[in-house]
Each structure stands twice: as structure tokens, then as C-alpha cells.
Amino acid sequence: MDVIFFGAPGAGKGTQAQILRKQYGYRQVSTGDLLREEREKATELGKAAEPYIQRGALVPDDLIVEMVKKNLPPAGSGVIFDGFPRTVAQAEALDHLLQAAGRGLPYAIYFYVPRATLEERLLGRWTNPRTGRVYHERFNPPKRTAVDDDDGGPLIQREDDTPAIVHHRLDVFEKQTMPLIAYYNDSRSRRYLKIDASRPIGTVTAELLHALEATSSPMRTP
Ligand code: AP5
């Protein structure tokens, strides 16, 4: 089953998607990570997206939908869409894309976290730019400061994790992404869940697994 993780910046979507990918075999499609890769490679898409990302605005829907189409894993493996969709237009495009590929409607999970907590999480986040793995200086620290536990390379603070840009990203979420709650919650033909993602990482993972197990069998790796 395909799953959407949506919620404000800093809600923990990427953290949970990485856990489910590593431990339970889900595929992860993170539009934030894909855009950062495009920027790193200086592709046309990367160059077009750069000014939006730098100021904390959403990249235009047509560019995002095209990128997701190109990176959609084959049917047969559960996909977690992490940070996509973020607008109602993107949600409609994803429904069409999945249906055209003979897949069912995705299970939408909304990560709710109060705004003050989101700011604290984003301003204390450290990221491995090579793998996308995230840490937090207080809530989920690496063993050595600013060094990744897995590959031993340096961790960075993202250029959009500054107070002014974080503030703007949270405003953008409230205005452009919150309408997705009604989009996913209003239809009886959909599976929708709101989780309290302000709790500790392990608690949130346990609730996600419980919810996913109730609807299908997660693909545990041996
Ligand atoms: P993207 O990279 O997707 O950023 P985001 O949505 O702003 O999400 P974040 O990565 O900031 O948060 P997260 O929920 O994954 O939290 P995380 O797990 O890291 O997008 C960047 C930009 O790309 C956008 O601004 C936009 O310009 C563009 N973009 C991307 N997708 C787009 C789209 N679909 N349409 C248009 N534009 C798009 O956790 C955050 C911190 O909290 C970490 O330090 C972590 O260790 C910690 N933490 C996590 N969970 C917990 C917990 N339970 N308790 C305590 N700490 C926790």
C-alpha cells in the first residue's frame, strides 16, 4: 500500500520514513531530498527550484509532479511519499498518477505537531547531506557532535533552517498545505489518520506501525 506522510516542516516525516525504509522495507520518495539532489547535480530542475527552496517557498506544482513521475518506484512495493503532496493540485495529480499505474488510493497520514515545537526541532536539526539522515542536537543526537554515526562524515545545518526561513516555511504550510487535511479527511473512500507527532520518535513509530499493520502487512526485512 502506498502511504503519504504530510505535515509541517519539522513534524518528523523524514525521520519516520527513514526508519520504515530501513527496518521494514518501504520505499521512500522524498521530494525535498530529490530536489536537493537535483540542485547538487546543477540540473535544469535543480536550478529552477533553487530560488524557491532558498526563500522557503513551494516549488511550482508542475515541476514537482514531473519529478515524482520520473521517480515513482514500480508497483509491488509500498511507497512512502514524504513531503509530497503539499498542495491540493499535487494531491489530485498523485491520485491520477497512481490510478493510471493501476494502484489504489494512498493512505494519508497527517503528522500534527504544535508550532513552537516545530521551530525548536528545525533550529536544532543536523543533516547528513550524503544520505539525508537527520539528527537533532537534543532529541536525537549523533554519537559525536556534527559527525554522522553511519558514514563518519560531517553533518550540516540546512540553509533553510534559519529562524526567518523556518518562520516563512511554517506560514507556507498553514496556507498551502493545510487544505490537504480536508482533501484527505472528507472522502469516505480514503484511509486517513492524524497522529500526534509531538511525542518521542519511538512512540510515533509504534503508532505508525500499528496503523499500517491494521490495514496491510508491513514488508519486514529478514
Ligand atoms: P523538505 O526537505 O521536504 O523540508 P520540509 O517539509 O520543510 O520538511 P523537513 O525535512 O523540514 O521536516 P520533516 O517533517 O521531514 O522533519 P525531520 O524528520 O527532518 O523540503 C524543503 C523545500 O523543498 C521546501 O521548503 C520546498 O521549497 C521544496 N519542496 C519539497 N517538497 C515540495 C513539494 N512537494 N512541493 C513544493 N515544494 C517542495 O525532523 C526534524 C527535526 O526534528 C530533526 O532534527 C529530527 O531529529 C527531529 N525529530 C523528528 N521527530 C522527532 C520527535 N518525534 N521528537 C523529537 N525530535 C524529533
Side-chain angles (χ1 to χ4, degrees):
M1 182 181 44
D2 298 315
V3 185
I4 291 167
F5 284 178
F6 76 103
K13 307 176 295 292
T15 297
Q16 296 298 335
Q18 283 168 13
I19 293 171
L20 266 60
R21 173 167 59 82
K22 278 190 194 157
Q23 295 183 17
Y24 299 93
Y26 281 87
R27 306 277 190 95
Q28 179 186 9
V29 174
S30 159
T31 42
D33 288 346
L34 289 172
L35 287 168
R36 281 183 285 278
E37 280 170 31
E38 297 284 342
R39 284 184 69 193
E40 189 67 31
K41 292 184 206 151
T43 63
E44 286 306 310
L45 170 59
K47 287 183 214 161
E50 186 157 300
Y52 297 95
I53 297 172
Q54 281 176 333
R55 64 175 193 270
L58 294 187
V59 175
D61 291 334
D62 55 336
L63 297 180
I64 294 290
V65 170
E66 205 45 47
M67 182 178 75
V68 170
K69 263 190 207 166
K70 274 194 220 145
N71 289 280
L72 186 67
S77 53
V79 175
I80 297 173
F81 294 96
D82 161 16
F84 172 83
R86 268 179 217 228
T87 62
V88 170
Q90 291 182 17
E92 289 169 347
L94 180 62
D95 284 349
H96 290 138
L97 194 60
L98 293 177
Q99 281 172 334
R103 299 154 83 136
L105 291 175
Y107 185 1
I109 302 184
Y110 170 43
F111 284 51
Y112 171 72
V113 176
R115 186 162 171 141
T117 306
L118 294 166
E119 288 176 6
E120 192 180 11
R121 284 188 185 180
L122 292 171
L123 296 175
R125 171 165 62 184
W126 288 81
T127 304
N128 179 332
R130 299 164 298 285
T131 64
R133 180 169 176 183
V134 291
Y135 298 84
H136 190 278
E137 58 196 20
R138 278 185 52 215
F139 306 132
N140 182 24
K143 293 189 182 98
R144 288 165 55 209
T145 304
V147 175
D148 184 71
D149 292 351
D150 293 333
D151 68 13
L155 300 173
I156 57 152
Q157 290 196 286
R158 268 170 47 177
E159 64 177 346
D160 56 348
D161 281 348
T162 60
I165 298 176
V166 161
H167 187 77
H168 184 60
R169 285 161 63 205
L170 294 174
D171 287 347
V172 167
F173 167 75
E174 286 168 13
K175 206 165 158 192
Q176 294 184 257
T177 306
M178 280 188 78
L180 286 183
I181 297 171
Y183 181 85
Y184 287 123
N185 197 18
D186 277 1
S187 162
R188 289 199 187 146
S189 59
R190 289 187 179 279
R191 295 196 189 93
Y192 167 81
L193 175 72
K194 173 181 174 179
I195 63 165
D196 174 2
S198 63
R199 295 168 298 166
I201 292 171
T203 310
V204 176
T205 307
E207 183 173 344
L208 284 172
L209 286 174
H210 181 73
L212 293 171
E213 273 164 8
T215 50
S216 70
S217 301
M219 296 144 291
R220 286 169 193 272
T221 46

